[in-house]
């Protein structure tokens, strides 16, 4: 499914062009997926199980080696208010919820880019508007560490909104 018409995601290629990330039709709605040119097949990679407007997740980035797909998935829609979490998928770890620093407040995150080997994911964190740049680092034990703001002044405070780089 191409982005638009209420479906999110962006088609992106791995460095060698053998894999593509995006969003395709799944049983619960539009879902983040990975295309393999050698098999000519799209593989659905999952969601957090929440559906909003016939979509559950969207692919926005792929690592250079083609193994890590990243994007976002609806995390909750209770009370008529929906928010999403950044997610990453790797064949050996499955779908990983990258979370939000402000999940209790219903603030969204999204992953927009992935390093060549999938060890770093960057995107945005919503809190007090506008969206702020965020980074997740691969945890050697599995998964990713909680996101951190990307700071304009690395010696400055992460709590200072004027020191947090915008998306």
């Amino acid at each position: 499914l191409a982005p638009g018409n209420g479906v999110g995601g962006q088609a992106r290629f791995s460095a060698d062009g053998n894999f593509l990330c995006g969003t395709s039709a799944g049983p619960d709605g539009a879902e983040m997926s990975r295309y393999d040119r050698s098999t000519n097949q799209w593989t659905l990679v999952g969601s957090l199980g929440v559906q909003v407007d016939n979509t559950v997740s969207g692919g926005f980035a792929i690592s250079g080696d083609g193994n890590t797909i990243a994007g976002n998935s609806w995390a909750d829609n209770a009370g008529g208010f929906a928010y999403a979490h950044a997610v990453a998928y790797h064949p050996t770890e499955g779908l990983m919820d990258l979370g939000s620093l402000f999940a209790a407040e219903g603030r969204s995150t999204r992953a927009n880019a992935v390093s060549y080997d999938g060890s770093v994911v960057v995107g945005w964190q919503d809190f007090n508007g506008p969206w702020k740049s965020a980074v997740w680092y691969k945890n050697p034990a599995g998964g990713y560490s909680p996101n951190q703001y990307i700071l304009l002044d690395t010696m400055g405070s992460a709590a200072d909104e004027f020191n947090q780089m915008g998306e």
Side-chain angles (χ1 to χ4, degrees):
L1 297 176
N5 298 321
V7 177
Q10 296 177 342
R12 298 282 189 246
F13 284 96
S14 62
D16 63 7
N18 287 324
F19 299 100
L20 175 72
C21 79
T23 306
S24 56
D28 297 319
E31 186 174 324
M32 186 166 75
S33 53
R34 178 178 179 251
Y35 182 79
D36 184 334
R37 285 186 54 217
S38 69
T39 63
N40 292 323
Q41 295 288 319
W42 281 99
T43 301
L44 301 172
V45 298
S47 74
L48 300 178
V50 177
Q51 184 190 62
V52 175
D53 295 331
N54 202 35
T55 183
V56 293
S57 60
F60 284 83
I62 188 168
S63 59
D65 65 12
N67 287 318
T68 304
I69 307 288
N72 66 350
S73 178
W74 292 111
D76 197 0
N77 61 359
F81 177 73
Y83 64 92
H85 281 184
V87 292
Y89 167 86
H90 189 278
T92 61
E93 293 186 76
L95 188 76
M96 296 166 274
D97 182 353
L98 302 184
S100 170
L101 295 175
F102 307 102
E105 292 87 354
R107 300 301 184 169
S108 295
T109 55
R110 186 175 83 194
N112 289 342
V114 185
S115 65
Y116 182 87
D117 64 357
S119 62
V120 179
V121 174
V122 294
W124 54 259
Q125 165 73 61
D126 177 33
F127 176 61
N128 199 23
W131 296 333
K132 302 294 185 170
S133 291
V135 60
W136 294 264
Y137 295 101
K138 190 79 172 104
N139 182 336
Y144 287 82
S145 62
N147 65 304
Q148 302 171 25
Y149 288 119
I150 299 173
L151 303 177
L152 297 171
D153 176 1
T154 58
M155 301 304 289
S157 170
D160 178 359
E161 287 190 55
F162 296 105
N163 192 33
Q164 300 163 356
M165 186 176 293
E167 188 221 358

